[in-house]
Amino acid sequence: MIDQQQLLVNTGNDPVLAYQLCEAFVSSSTELEAELRAACLSHDHELLSRTAHTLKSAFDVLGAVEQRDLALQVELLASARGSTGAEADLLTLSHRLLGEVVSVRAAVRQLLD
């Protein structure tokens, strides 16, 4: 889930910076999760797109490629504000993304321990 080698590459092989970024993800991911939930409940495409974009960047730094790609899908669908079928897809993918936020946070906490 977390590619530790990629995380180190992304931080210029600086383990202190990698640790700090992991801590930052753990502390900010709870708020991002809440924003994602609120956006889903209110069908707020703008907030959903913004939150997914932020998560995409965070996942990318952590080397969580599958989660980054899922966040990108959500971001693009939310930005498109498409048809009813796309809305159903957006909701499904957003719920998957919520689960991934929780999973990645748990994985990052393990790295920090």
Side-chain angles (χ1 to χ4, degrees), residues 2-19 21 61-63:
I2 303 296
D3 184 337
Q4 293 179 46
Q5 286 302 107
Q6 188 60 48
L7 173 60
L8 280 173
V9 167
N10 291 341
T11 58
N13 290 314
D14 183 343
V16 173
L17 179 57
Y19 187 88
L21 288 172
V61 168
L62 295 171

Side-chain angles (χ1 to χ4, degrees), residues 15-109:
V16 173
L17 179 57
Y19 187 88
Q20 290 170 337
L21 288 172
C22 286
E23 284 183 323
F25 178 80
V26 169
S27 66
S28 68
S29 64
T30 303
E31 183 179 330
L32 290 168
E33 180 187 355
E35 288 177 9
L36 194 57
R37 285 185 195 284
C40 288
L41 289 172
S42 64
H43 301 278
D44 183 339
H45 290 119
E46 185 177 323
L47 179 59
L48 188 54
S49 178
R50 241 187 1 257
T51 306
H53 178 82
T54 301
L55 286 166
K56 176 186 72 178
S57 298
F59 290 149
D60 191 43
V61 168
L62 295 171
V65 175
E66 290 179 29
Q67 292 77 11
R68 179 204 61 206
D69 293 346
L70 177 59
L72 174 61
Q73 285 182 290
V74 171
E75 178 186 6
L76 293 175
L77 275 175
S79 295
R81 297 181 184 134
S83 65
T84 305
E87 187 72 23
D89 289 343
L90 178 59
L91 190 57
T92 299
L93 290 173
S94 297
H95 283 281
R96 276 187 45 211
L97 185 56
L98 278 166
E100 293 299 332
V101 170
V102 172
S103 296
V104 170
R105 183 171 50 238
V108 171
R109 279 186 176 138

